[in-house]
Amino acid sequence: RMQLFLENASEVSTIYDEDGAIRYISSSVETILGCGQRELIGKSDAENVFPEHRPIFADLFNRLKEANPDDRITVQLEYKTKEGNYIWIEATGTNCMANPAIHGFILNSRDITERRRAEQEQRMRSKMQALSENSPDLITRLEDQAISYINPVIEAYTGKNPSTFLNKKVQ
């Protein structure tokens, strides 16, 4: 049951030695990162971290070395899958060096690529909204020949609030 649970988990659980080598990695690594457990055990996976995010990864371990066992440290970084694609992962680490059964750093990592994409899309929408709201030009968005958006400039032209025009046919 535990094996089945680990294979189908939505996160990868990893135990790292003090030197950064992987001592244990859950079998869910195959479904999330495409790698086999045997490919990573005994090795450091720092080279799989996106080059610009490697300092974040290294700093995570430096912070974990000084952390209390109750502390949780979370970072977000890009990680290369076996296919060579980068995905965003959120890794939460705990210092379990004092625990004789574990004696390592535990990292629980999950794929947050879709969440990051959605956040980026939302930021882009907000920027576009701000540009549109503050534009001196009249901007209108049509969907099925009806006005789905019109910026506040319409008020200067018509004296009417933009909400007056929403969901109305163009004619």
Side-chain angles (χ1 to χ4, degrees):
R1 284 184 186 160
M2 183 60 117
Q3 183 65 28
L4 194 59
F5 170 76
L6 290 172
E7 286 173 11
N8 296 306
S10 61
E11 5 181 271
V12 177
S13 295
T14 311
I15 299 175
Y16 290 86
D17 286 333
E18 197 165 8
D19 65 355
I22 296 172
R23 186 162 11 105
Y24 168 82
I25 191 160
S26 62
S27 55
S28 58
V29 71
E30 293 181 33
T31 54
I32 296 172
L33 300 176
C35 303
Q37 291 172 288
R38 290 187 180 137
E39 295 174 64
L40 295 172
I41 291 177
K43 300 176 185 167
S44 168
D45 62 342
E47 68 274 355
N48 293 335
V49 175
F50 187 70
E52 292 176 18
H53 296 165
R54 287 179 188 159
I56 296 169
F57 192 64
D59 185 55
L60 170 63
F61 285 97
N62 291 333
R63 290 170 56 197
L64 283 172
K65 286 177 185 175
E66 297 178 14
N68 294 320
D70 297 332
D71 294 344
R72 305 260 183 275
I73 301 171
T74 301
V75 297
Q76 293 182 359
L77 47 87
E78 287 179 281
Y79 193 94
K80 187 169 42 172
T81 65
K82 186 171 184 173
E83 293 82 35
N85 305 317
Y86 281 97
I87 62 169
W88 279 95
I89 62 165
E90 182 174 75
T92 300
T94 309
N95 180 341
C96 294
M97 284 295 180
N99 183 330
I102 298 170
H103 192 70
F105 301 117
I106 296 179
L107 254 66
N108 291 313
S109 306
R110 73 180 59 139
D111 182 352
I112 60 164
T113 305
E114 289 306 314
R115 183 174 92 192
R116 292 282 300 216
R117 211 173 272 144
E119 288 170 355
Q120 185 177 14
E121 192 174 301
Q122 182 59 40
R123 282 192 301 274
M124 195 62 129
R125 280 188 188 147
S126 295
K127 285 180 185 177
M128 293 303 292
Q129 183 78 19
L131 285 172
S132 175
E133 297 288 322
N134 297 309
S135 174
D137 299 323
L138 178 61
I139 299 173
T140 307
R141 183 172 39 245
L142 303 174
E143 292 178 25
D144 297 324
Q145 299 181 349
I147 298 171
S148 63
Y149 170 82
I150 194 161
N151 69 340
V153 171
I154 191 66
E155 207 164 333
Y157 288 110
T158 66
K160 296 179 182 177
N161 189 301
S163 62
T164 310
F165 298 91
L166 294 181
N167 301 316
K168 302 277 186 340
K169 294 286 182 183
V170 175
Q171 70 262 26

